[in-house]
Amino acid sequence: MTSGNGQATVRSRPVTELFTSTATALWATTYSVDLALFNEFLLPRLGEPPLNVVVLADHRRLATALDRLDADTATTVAAVNRRWLLRGVRPKGQRFHPKTYLAVTRTRATLLVGSGNLSMDGLSAGREVFTAFHSGTPTGDAAIGSWRGWIRRIVRLVDDVRLTERLYDLEARLPASTAGTTTAAPLLHNLDEPIVAQFVAGVLAGATSAGVEELLLAAPYYDEDSAAVGRLLVDLRPRRVRVLLTSTTKVDGHRLAARLAASGAAVEVAYYDPDRFVHAKLVGAISGERGWLLSGSANLSRAAMLRTAGDHGNVEVSVLTTLAADRVRALFMPPETTAVPCDLARLSALSFRVDPEPALPSVRLISATAAPDGTVEVTSEPAAQPGWRLDDLVSPQALIRRKDGTAVTAAPLSGRLVRLLDADGSRLSNRVVVDDPTALTAALTTPTARPKSDLPADLAGSDFDTPLVRMLVQLHRSFVMEVTDRISVGAEAVTGGQEDDQGDDDLWARLERERLAHDPRASRYRAGWSSSDLGSSDEVLKLLDALRSGTPGKSAPTGNGKNLLSRLLDRTVEDFEHEEPSHRRWQLAARVRVRTRNLLRRWAAAQTDPRLAWIDPLAPADNFAMITALFAKLRMDHTGEHGAIELSVEDLDDLWSRWLGGFVGTGAGDGWLSQLDQDTLHAARRRQPDDLPETVAALCWLAIRPGQNVRERIVDHQPTLVAALSQDLIDPTAHTARYLSRVVGHHLTREQVVEDLLDAAAFLDDALWCERTAAELALDGVELKAPPGAASIQVRLDVRGVDDPLLDPRVPRLIAATRHYRRCRGVAVYAGDSDWRLSVYPEETVAYLPGQGRPTVESVAPLTEGDLDRLAVSVSVLADLFPPAGPQESPVHCQQG
């Protein structure tokens, strides 16, 4: 909601109002930022370059979040400091905490000031309060002019060349009316004077002779001794005080109650109903029919309200609005919420809890800038010392010190997320995103500067061009291989912090559906393979030609009626004769390998994402068919010198296992096919090319091929191989044998391929399986033994490293893997390092013996075939099958008070 310009309050939709295609600039200041939301949904809603986009966030919060990213999640920052500028602000006091958003179009500017961070919850959840100001109105021009003066001081504090350049550009885009006005500005900041002093002065200047009749308070965070509330009570001396809370409000209830009681005012305490987190920060004062509302970023804390930014306070921005008394009261009630009065004594249930701030590294990495030759220049505090290196999650490089205090890497870096390491490889600094000065300048000035939206994040902005990269780019242009996942570790880390509640999944879904609804790739799924005029195999080859050349319109080769493998064989000699050898530097090949491997791994993991159904219910089936054809071609590319690719044979084995496992699962209900109902499963099978099973058979045989380390490879791939066989997805043919003969370089018959696949499916190597399973589940040891004698139990499993099997989520996964490996139903699990036992068999209750001399307890109901798979896939525990009170008593440590 908003409360602006002294007018009636209206409901606001910040995403709709700010992120529009007509925007030419957007500046945001926030405590924390959801990079996934911003890059994937909000940024594409803005206009085309030239575009000036800047986000200023709290330095500590941003540093902590970036430090949690790894090589697999670093793509979150692909567009950062290329298409838009991200900077952490490190004030001298506590936190950089203002929430302001300025959007500029060619005709007007809109400023929102409020309580919401640049996250889903902050912009959409409805438990925030914003004030909207528009240029062209006296109050709007005054507010935007005041914000201009404030942001200039923040930019000077950051002292960054590229940020300053963008500020000059922003001021040139702002309407001239905002440059100066005689109207009093409603914005309050604490760079010079505490917020509370400005609020009190404004209220007392306009109050009647009767003084302040009512003070209203609502905030999620207070200080330990309620000093800010005490200051308001002393300075305003209200006759009534109304405090609105939730059970999550962080305040020392005893001290707050004491402050309220000592004021002599009539006190009313009320809890919001429903009782859920409310992030709005509001202070209201009423005198007669007139009211004043303080809203914005400042909590009821000492650092926010009582101090200036230079005196150990946060950096805050608030709005002081004059409204009718009833309107002030109404703004304290979120939509669809009521307030339930309660006794003052109930405050004692609230406690002041401070989440410890993560310690920052001893060295502050201030900036990192890419040079044209690929090296990276860094500025740090203190300056770089001998032996320090710059780590980009790919290959750390030594730093060469300069006389001016900066340092530059000795060799080029490809990664965009960097930090400093000492000579021993230990972390020294926070992480920053490398600036690309050329791209940043172009984004401000060049209409074509915006990178193509049809590039995968891993490959965007890359300076290399190889056949493999071209194939993956074209594949991305043709198919929706993933729906962007904001709950990865990196995205979750960036949104973390005590200022954020849980994300608004409705907003995420709404924005994702909106984007996918206009995705031109959706038409390919609706057409399907079988509806193509060329036939299914020809359609695959047509796409493979496009993948190889990067030219979408390239026609398919002749040869209607031939299957995929035969036509790949027919094309191999011709391809090699026309392809030029590529003599590329090793470093380039290594970068291509890392990026393409990470991209294909992520795509594989995304196939079970239910949001793919938004593009088409059978999208994973089409994706799997296409990726199978791609892997068949990549395997063939390894048979000739000129066709060699950056991915190794071992990479392809691993990637194929991931894709096949994501599609068919491992027998534990964890694949896309195994999660379908019967009608959808039949539709998926009808949707796929007729020759898919013979291609799958070829790739599976290559994964378990005879030769070095065959035992290990069979154990690795066996679960997905068995699952694919059970789904009738493997059917070796003479074409399969001919293709494999070319790939491996010696003659194979269909009968040999069939025998090898069946032998691998039936292969048992208990010692190796136990070793691999223990390592995968981080157990101290796993050992298969003879069954204990019960008719229903076929396998006994001794496990070490599990203290409580009912509360350990690894146990359902272990049992499901054992049943699949041994193709059995009943499993007994014994503790190898204690004396508990567990017996599991479908159609019977789970029996658990906690230890010798203790009674056996049983699950509430008999186990069904799907229960174990459900628990394993959802990473749940066996205790879910037992009575709510639990099968045994466990000690609970309690603390009085």
Side-chain angles (χ1 to χ4, degrees):
M1 63 183 116
T2 64
S3 56
N5 306 345
Q7 305 299 318
T9 302
V10 296
R11 191 72 61 82
S12 171
R13 299 182 67 87
V15 171
T16 303
E17 291 189 18
L18 298 175
F19 296 88
T20 67
S21 60
T22 59
T24 64
L26 186 133
W27 275 52
T29 65
T30 179
Y31 178 62
S32 58
V33 54
D34 184 334
L35 290 180
L37 175 74
F38 191 82
N39 282 320
E40 295 296 329
F41 296 115
L42 301 181
L43 190 64
R45 294 174 67 97
L46 297 174
E48 293 291 329
L51 185 64
N52 184 342
V53 179
V54 171
V55 175
L56 303 179
D58 180 73
H59 166 76
R60 183 184 295 270
R61 183 59 52 192
L62 183 61
T64 302
L66 293 178
D67 193 56
R68 294 173 181 167
L69 297 178
D70 56 26
D72 292 331
T73 56
T75 54
T76 305
V77 301
V80 178
N81 295 344
R82 274 182 170 153
R83 291 176 56 189
W84 60 282
L85 192 70
L86 173 67
R87 287 293 186 262
V89 183
R90 188 179 189 180
K92 295 180 180 178
Q94 301 288 324
R95 298 178 176 89
F96 183 72
H97 203 249
K99 286 84 172 175
T100 71
Y101 304 89
L102 178 75
V104 182
T105 68
R106 297 186 183 279
T107 57
R108 77 170 187 173
T110 299
L111 174 67
L112 262 62
V113 179
S115 59
N117 287 295
L118 187 50
S119 63
M120 289 171 295
D121 225 33
L123 296 182
S124 180
R127 300 186 296 278
E128 311 282 359
V129 170
F130 286 93
T131 304
F133 301 98
H134 303 287
S135 63
T137 66
T139 304
D141 286 340
I144 295 172
S146 180
W147 182 90
R148 290 176 69 176
W150 173 80
I151 200 67
R152 287 173 185 166
R153 297 177 65 178
I154 298 300
V155 170
R156 285 199 297 271
L157 172 67
V158 178
D159 191 21
D160 181 274
V161 173
R162 268 170 284 281
L163 180 59
T164 304
E165 174 191 28
R166 273 173 148 61
L167 177 60
Y168 289 154
D169 178 270
L170 174 69
E171 294 195 330
R173 298 174 192 243
L174 282 170
S177 61
T178 64
T181 177
T182 58
T183 302
L187 257 62
L188 309 180
H189 62 72
N190 66 334
L191 296 183
D192 305 307
E193 186 179 6
I195 297 288
V196 71
Q198 300 174 68
F199 174 69
V200 168
V203 171
L204 295 182
T208 67
S209 58
V212 176
E213 299 172 10
E214 187 175 352
L215 178 67
L216 300 95
L217 305 172
Y221 309 107
Y222 291 64
D223 47 22
E224 186 173 8
D225 55 0
S226 298
V229 173
R231 174 72 178 275
L232 289 167
L233 292 171
V234 170
D235 289 355
L236 294 177
R237 292 176 291 174
R239 292 190 288 279
R240 292 193 309 276
V241 180
R242 191 177 193 220
V243 183
L244 293 118
L245 306 158
T246 71
S247 61
T248 60
T249 301
K250 293 189 176 182
V251 62
D252 186 322
H254 293 286
R255 292 191 176 186
L256 178 59
R259 292 272 192 187
L260 295 171
S263 70
V267 177
E268 177 186 340
V269 176
Y271 276 72
Y272 286 118
D273 184 24
D275 181 17
R276 58 177 184 168
F277 183 78
V278 176
H279 196 242
K281 303 107 166 42
L282 301 172
V283 178
I286 293 173
S287 178
E289 297 300 318
R290 196 176 187 189
W292 295 263
L293 180 72
L294 182 71
S295 62
S297 64
N299 285 292
L300 285 168
S301 68
R302 181 180 284 103
M305 295 284 285
L306 302 185
R307 292 173 174 168
T308 63
D311 184 26
H312 304 289
N314 299 339
V315 174
E316 306 278 5
V317 173
S318 296
V319 178
L320 179 57
T321 310
T322 303
L323 299 166
D326 288 343
R327 179 56 62 188
V328 171
R329 295 187 182 98
L331 278 168
F332 277 78
M333 298 305 302
E336 302 176 359
T337 303
T338 59
V340 180
C342 65
D343 295 334
L344 190 63
R346 186 176 172 185
L347 288 178
S348 62
L350 298 176
S351 62
F352 179 77
R353 308 175 305 279
V354 178
D355 297 331
E357 288 281 7
L360 290 176
S362 58
V363 176
R364 180 190 175 199
L365 180 56
I366 298 174
S367 65
T369 306
D373 63 358
T375 60
V376 177
E377 177 186 291
V378 300
T379 302
S380 63
E381 190 179 76
Q385 301 298 309
W388 287 11
R389 293 182 295 164
L390 191 67
D391 175 31
D392 68 344
L393 298 176
V394 179
S395 56
Q397 292 292 337
L399 287 170
I400 302 173
R401 300 173 64 195
R402 292 172 170 167
K403 292 182 180 180
D404 62 358
T406 62
V408 65
T409 57
L413 288 180
S414 61
R416 309 224 38 253
L417 192 61
V418 297
R419 66 181 176 188
L420 294 171
L421 305 178
D422 64 16
D424 297 328
S426 299
R427 181 186 70 156
L428 282 174
S429 76
N430 57 292
R431 281 188 174 139
V432 300
V433 183
V434 176
D435 288 352
D436 184 336
T438 302
L440 283 170
T441 301
L444 282 181
T445 60
T446 308
T448 58
R450 188 172 186 166
K452 292 183 178 180
S453 59
D454 56 358
L455 287 178
D458 306 71
L459 306 179
S462 59
D463 59 353
F464 47 77
D465 181 25
T466 72
L468 177 60
V469 170
R470 290 199 300 270
M471 283 192 288
L472 293 181
V473 168
Q474 187 59 34
L475 189 61
H476 178 71
R477 290 171 178 170
S478 303
F479 291 86
V480 181
M481 287 295 177
E482 65 177 335
V483 176
T484 305
D485 190 357
R486 72 177 171 88
I487 60 173
S488 63
V489 175
E492 185 177 22
V494 171
T495 63
Q498 68 185 68
E499 276 294 315
D500 285 310
D501 195 19
Q502 294 181 352
D504 180 2
D505 290 334
D506 290 339
L507 172 63
W508 187 264
R510 187 168 69 249
L511 291 174
E512 192 67 79
R513 286 178 183 270
E514 177 184 315
R515 184 172 71 89
L516 292 177
H518 299 92
D519 196 313
R521 295 172 292 179
S523 60
R524 180 176 297 281
Y525 294 95
R526 288 188 286 271
W529 301 105
S530 59
S531 62
S532 169
D533 293 338
L534 298 173
S536 61
S537 184
D538 290 71
E539 180 70 6
V540 175
L541 265 294
K542 180 181 178 181
L543 273 173
L544 283 179
D545 282 337
L547 297 183
R548 181 169 62 93
S549 66
T551 306
K554 186 177 178 68
S555 60
T558 58
N560 271 352
K562 289 187 178 181
N563 59 20
L564 171 66
L565 297 181
S566 294
R567 294 176 59 184
L568 281 175
L569 290 168
D570 292 344
R571 295 170 59 235
T572 301
V573 174
E574 178 185 353
D575 285 352
F576 290 165
E577 288 175 351
H578 289 85
E579 287 180 356
E580 297 182 0
S582 178
H583 302 292
R584 295 188 174 269
R585 292 182 291 113
W586 178 87
Q587 283 189 340
L588 175 61
R591 294 204 304 270
V592 172
R593 180 189 179 197
V594 169
R595 294 194 183 193
T596 56
R597 185 176 56 191
N598 287 344
L599 179 64
L600 285 166
R601 284 177 176 174
R602 198 176 69 245
W603 282 356
Q607 298 311 298
T608 53
D609 188 337
R611 293 174 296 171
L612 275 177
W614 296 347
I615 194 87
D616 187 276
L618 300 179
D622 283 3
N623 290 350
F624 180 75
M626 191 62 238
I627 212 71
T628 300
L630 175 65
F631 278 127
K633 182 189 186 306
L634 295 180
R635 277 291 193 172
M636 186 68 74
D637 284 347
H638 271 289
T639 64
E641 177 184 355
H642 300 315
I645 60 172
E646 290 81 4
L647 293 173
S648 67
V649 169
E650 290 73 23
D651 290 334
L652 293 176
D653 283 343
D654 171 71
L655 291 168
W656 171 246
S657 179
R658 292 170 185 262
W659 271 92
L660 184 62
F663 191 63
V664 302
T666 62
D670 50 347
W672 182 75
L673 282 178
S674 59
Q675 297 171 11
L676 302 180
D677 58 51
Q678 286 300 312
D679 290 341
T680 309
L681 180 61
H682 291 321
R685 288 173 174 168
R686 291 194 301 269
R687 181 79 159 256
Q688 294 182 316
D690 295 336
D691 54 6
L692 179 65
E694 67 180 11
T695 309
V696 172
L699 294 172
C700 286
W701 185 91
L702 287 169
I704 56 91
R705 63 193 177 278
Q708 188 177 10
N709 300 323
V710 63
R711 293 169 57 251
E712 289 81 357
R713 282 187 280 105
I714 288 177
V715 171
D716 283 344
H717 296 278
Q718 189 182 57
T720 55
L721 174 64
V722 172
L725 285 167
S726 68
Q727 293 284 358
D728 297 325
L729 203 58
I730 294 180
D731 183 18
T733 65
H735 301 299
T736 305
R738 178 171 170 247
Y739 167 85
L740 290 174
S741 298
R742 176 71 64 83
V743 171
V744 299
H746 60 81
H747 180 66
L748 285 170
T749 66
R750 174 185 176 276
E751 290 70 24
Q752 286 176 290
V753 175
V754 171
E755 182 178 359
D756 289 340
L757 288 171
L758 292 179
D759 286 347
F763 180 77
L764 294 178
D765 188 323
D766 290 349
L768 183 58
W769 181 87
C770 289
E771 178 184 343
R772 293 293 179 88
T773 303
E776 179 183 350
L777 298 179
L779 296 167
D780 294 341
V782 172
E783 186 177 1
L784 286 167
K785 292 188 174 182
S792 60
I793 302 298
Q794 292 86 35
V795 173
R796 170 180 164 176
L797 189 68
D798 284 17
V799 58
R800 298 189 305 278
V802 174
D803 295 328
D804 188 337
L806 300 189
L807 297 177
D808 194 321
R810 297 174 296 178
V811 172
R813 296 172 59 194
L814 176 63
I815 297 173
T818 304
R819 295 175 73 230
H820 186 68
Y821 170 66
R822 278 298 190 90
R823 299 169 185 80
C824 66
R825 304 184 73 199
V827 177
V829 186
Y830 284 49
D833 47 10
S834 61
D835 55 357
W836 58 260
R837 296 181 182 182
L838 192 67
S839 176
V840 177
Y841 187 82
E843 289 89 41
E844 294 183 3
T845 56
V846 178
Y848 173 54
L849 179 65
Q852 293 183 1
R854 304 181 67 178
T856 298
V857 291
E858 298 184 358
S859 58
V860 174
L863 191 71
T864 67
E865 282 287 355
D867 283 340
L868 273 176
D869 290 345
R870 174 180 58 80
L871 293 175
V873 171
S874 62
V875 196
S876 299
V877 294
L878 290 174
D880 295 342
L881 306 176
F882 286 80
Q888 59 179 334
E889 295 181 358
S890 300
V892 178
H893 299 283
C894 300
Q895 181 175 350
Q896 297 298 324

